[in-house]
Amino acid sequence: MEQHTPPTPRKRPTIRDVAAAAGVSRGTVSRVINGGHWVSPDALAAVNEAIRATGYAANHHARSLVTGRSNSVAFLLTEPQHLLFEDPNFSILLRGAAEALAKREMPLLLMVASTPEERRRITAYVTAGHVDGVLLISSHRDDPLVASLLCADVPVIACGMPLGFEEQVGYVTADDAGGARRMTRHLLDQGRHHVATITGPLDTPGGTMRLAGYREELGDRFDETLVAHGDYTRDGGEQAMRELLARRPDLDAVFVASDLMASGALVALRDAGRSVPEDVAVGGFDDSGLAANLHPPLTTMRQPFERISAEMVRLLLEVIEGQEPAAITLPTSLVRRASA
């Protein structure tokens, strides 16, 4: 019987192979792989083409031993786990961050820290060097977790202004106050006279700034009895709307600081026999996909979530490379639907 020698496994391409194909030194290839610093455009193009042609793939474990970096980033949500699935904002931010990092061949680790024990465990993991930096999602004022990360010199970029750490932590935020002003003005322009609001938690940047924008737009017409406080959940929005209806049955519009809370507010209005928008106009904030599917479809302020994610990743990688943290505010836009 004829015997066949098994084929010899194809040798994994090395930096030496890439350098030979590109006609450059191994040092130039190494610089390209580690960020492209101090490499001419022609050499950069040649190396990238050689990487594609040879099928070279970087050995990230070996690189981490040399650089002292993990080559990974954490997506850290400081809210209860169920909100990751209930609030569509978080999944959109997560997907956008993962896509931005995938272009750099960096994995994203999802972490949730809403209890003291979770914060302790995650702080120990992150400060041990298992990730190079943290994308902080939904921070609360003076969060002790943020203080711990800063003390350990862990690079952090926040989604939204990190209250209490504005001068130490970079961030990317939508224009919360400006968006709230525009939504409040839109409701007033519909001929509404008693415009209420349901705020987010006042220890969060969105809760604070959206209330400030609403208050600023109303000016002398601001009335504390038209304000109810929510918690960015559907149930919280429903409860706050019932509270407002009991206190101010004459209200004819409400600006709700998140679409998820607005979905609860619509339930409370329907249960009270109030039609939307005929009796009460409703405006939200986010436009993450939920708004268009509510009944009636929700007028809201759109946050540019995809750009927020991409900018957070860009700023975090800059901080990891040693640059000073930066802050970016992105504009929101009014999306008119049937609710107002």
Side-chain angles (χ1 to χ4, degrees):
M1 174 183 280
E2 183 180 358
Q3 293 188 352
H4 296 280
T5 302
T8 302
R10 185 169 178 264
K11 182 183 175 185
R12 178 176 176 148
T14 66
I15 285 182
R16 186 190 299 273
D17 299 324
V18 174
V24 300
S25 69
R26 280 176 288 170
T28 298
V29 175
S30 180
R31 286 193 293 275
V32 170
I33 293 170
N34 287 285
H37 304 297
W38 312 109
V39 179
S40 71
D42 288 345
L44 180 63
V47 171
N48 284 330
E49 172 59 24
I51 288 173
R52 186 197 64 77
T54 61
Y56 173 80
N59 185 328
H60 293 298
H61 176 67
R63 186 195 303 177
S64 70
L65 293 176
V66 175
T67 63
R69 293 180 181 173
S70 69
N71 198 49
S72 62
V73 165
F75 182 98
L76 178 53
L77 177 63
T78 58
E79 298 289 352
Q81 278 192 19
H82 71 88
L83 284 183
L84 178 63
F85 306 99
E86 182 180 347
D87 192 325
N89 297 355
F90 298 141
S91 59
I92 293 175
L93 290 167
L94 176 62
R95 183 176 67 240
E99 289 175 354
L101 285 163
K103 295 175 183 177
R104 298 164 172 85
E105 296 192 354
M106 294 181 70
L108 182 65
L109 279 65
L110 171 61
M111 300 180 178
V112 179
S114 62
T115 67
E117 176 58 26
E118 288 173 343
R119 286 194 291 268
R120 183 201 62 75
R121 190 164 55 245
I122 284 174
T123 298
Y125 183 86
V126 170
T127 57
H130 294 295
V131 297
D132 295 329
V134 170
L135 299 169
L136 182 66
I137 311 299
S138 190
S139 66
H140 294 254
R141 183 183 300 276
D142 298 322
D143 189 337
L145 178 58
V146 181
S148 298
L149 296 177
L150 289 174
C151 284
D153 292 325
V154 175
V156 178
I157 293 293
C159 180
M161 184 183 297
L163 301 179
F165 301 98
E166 299 93 327
E167 302 301 320
Q168 300 162 275
V169 175
Y171 59 89
V172 181
T173 183
D175 184 1
D176 291 308
R181 286 196 303 271
R182 187 170 182 189
M183 177 57 75
T184 305
R185 170 47 51 193
H186 173 71
L187 295 172
L188 292 169
D189 288 346
Q190 304 301 304
R192 309 295 168 147
H193 301 287
H194 305 294
V195 180
T197 189
I198 298 174
T199 77
L202 296 186
D203 65 344
T204 65
T208 300
M209 300 305 293
R210 293 170 201 174
L211 174 59
Y214 161 85
R215 184 169 191 159
E216 182 178 326
E217 187 61 40
L218 288 175
D220 293 339
R221 288 176 290 181
F222 174 78
D223 185 341
E224 193 70 50
T225 66
L226 286 168
V227 178
H229 302 298
D231 59 1
Y232 285 149
T233 69
R234 183 180 284 104
D235 289 345
E238 181 178 347
Q239 181 177 336
M241 191 71 247
R242 295 187 193 284
E243 176 188 325
L244 282 170
L245 289 170
R247 188 194 311 148
R248 290 295 303 267
D250 60 333
L251 67 85
D252 55 7
V254 59
F255 162 48
V256 190
S258 81
D259 293 349
L260 188 58
M261 289 196 299
S263 69
L266 289 173
V267 171
L269 287 166
R270 187 160 53 245
D271 289 349
R274 304 293 184 93
S275 60
V276 177
E278 291 79 10
D279 297 329
V280 180
V282 179
F285 204 107
D286 289 331
D287 200 38
S288 56
L290 172 66
N293 296 310
L294 294 175
H295 182 70
L298 185 68
T299 292
T300 190
M301 297 304 303
R302 175 177 293 158
Q303 296 198 62
F305 287 108
E306 290 81 4
R307 188 175 173 196
I308 289 172
S309 293
E311 292 291 346
M312 287 181 67
V313 167
R314 182 178 67 84
L315 294 186
L316 181 61
L317 295 181
E318 287 182 356
V319 176
I320 291 171
E321 291 296 330
Q323 297 187 40
E324 290 297 312
I328 296 176
T329 300
L330 299 174
T332 58
S333 55
L334 177 66
V335 180
R336 294 178 174 88
R337 297 192 180 96
S339 72

